[in-house]
Amino acid sequence: MAETTTRVLRLLALLQARAYSGRELADRLGVTDRTLRNDIRRLRELGYPVHAERGAIGGYRLGRGSTMPPLLLDDDEAVAVAVAVGLAEDGATGIADITEHVGRALAKLEQILPKRLQRKVTALRSATAIGPATTGSREPDAPVPAEVLTVLAGAIRDGAAVRLDIATAASEFVDPIEAEPYRLINWQRRWYLVGYVLDTHTWRAIPVAGVRRAAVTGRRFAARTLPDDDLVAFVMRDVASTGWRVHAQVEVLAPAEVVIARINPAVGVVEPVDENSCLLYTGADALETIAIYLSMLMMDFRVDGPPELVAHLRTLARRYTDSVRDAPA
């Protein structure tokens, strides 16, 4: 019975990948055509809709049924599904009504995952924080290899330093650095590693999409004092202040909570100064874009730099003034 069950599971795994002819399936399983037909019947009795088509290009394929039968996943697929479901449970989807269902699905997955896979999933989930949801436009996706995330999550769990090969502006070259990893941040479908870079003795929010290779060095480290109690805020501030071609620090003459409610988190980071003013750290790929952001605030503000932005705003102010000089009040 055990041999039959194992063979049927192998058959299911094959059919979940693609359609096969009867001859291909029998050869892969090492069985006769009659045994194959019996195994197909067993799958159908279990609720799997296996369709058969006759002819030269016919064969067997797994179709859609009226109920949801069990899925058979390999190791990588199981880890990927568990991590994705875990991120959804943590709020990465932005969908309000699925939390309960996601939690139940994740509990079922965790119950059956082998320990070797559970360690990978647990490491990645515990090492990851989710940035705030945003509306409107966002930056293009920056895919990250699962292997790199797995290495970084394991290093964070174990308190182990890592060597990172990071792509430079010329993508054919890499810049190797050694860092102590502390946290992975997932924000706007992008991944960042909060790490202390040993080469420069600085804290950085490292875009993981630029990491071509990550390897554990074998050196353990004692935890340092973090650069911010809120590492998500640290990453957002770092991206706003260093992640663009042009950056600006703007004093907005309005309470911080009013400005935060007005802007998309992707535009910048807001820090309170007093009850009636705050600082906005923002950036873009062009001065003109920052000027547009500021005009859309519909609030009074002051800009001290960079000089190019100050000059651009003065030019805009003159143009706006000239455009209404002779208009009736």
Side-chain angles (χ1 to χ4, degrees), residues 75-121:
D75 285 2
D76 291 338
E77 292 168 343
V79 171
V81 171
V83 169
V85 172
L87 291 175
E89 185 186 41
D90 291 337
T93 64
I95 303 174
D97 300 330
I98 66 171
T99 303
E100 179 182 352
H101 308 296
V102 166
R104 291 203 305 268
L106 184 60
K108 292 178 181 178
L109 279 171
E110 291 180 338
Q111 186 176 8
I112 62 175
L113 279 177
K115 287 186 177 180
R116 69 180 189 282
L117 303 184
Q118 184 63 58
R119 278 179 56 83
K120 290 185 178 181
V121 173

Side-chain angles (χ1 to χ4, degrees), residues 20 71 94 148 196 226 283 287 301 329:
Y20 285 91
L71 291 175
V148 171
Y196 185 82
L226 296 175
L287 292 172
F301 60 88

Side-chain angles (χ1 to χ4, degrees), residues 51-85:
H51 300 320
E53 297 181 5
R54 297 182 180 276
I57 59 173
Y60 294 98
R61 63 180 178 84
L62 199 60
R64 301 180 186 274
S66 58
T67 60
M68 180 66 185
L71 291 175
L72 188 64
L73 305 174
D74 62 25
D75 285 2
D76 291 338
E77 292 168 343
V79 171
V81 171
V83 169
V85 172

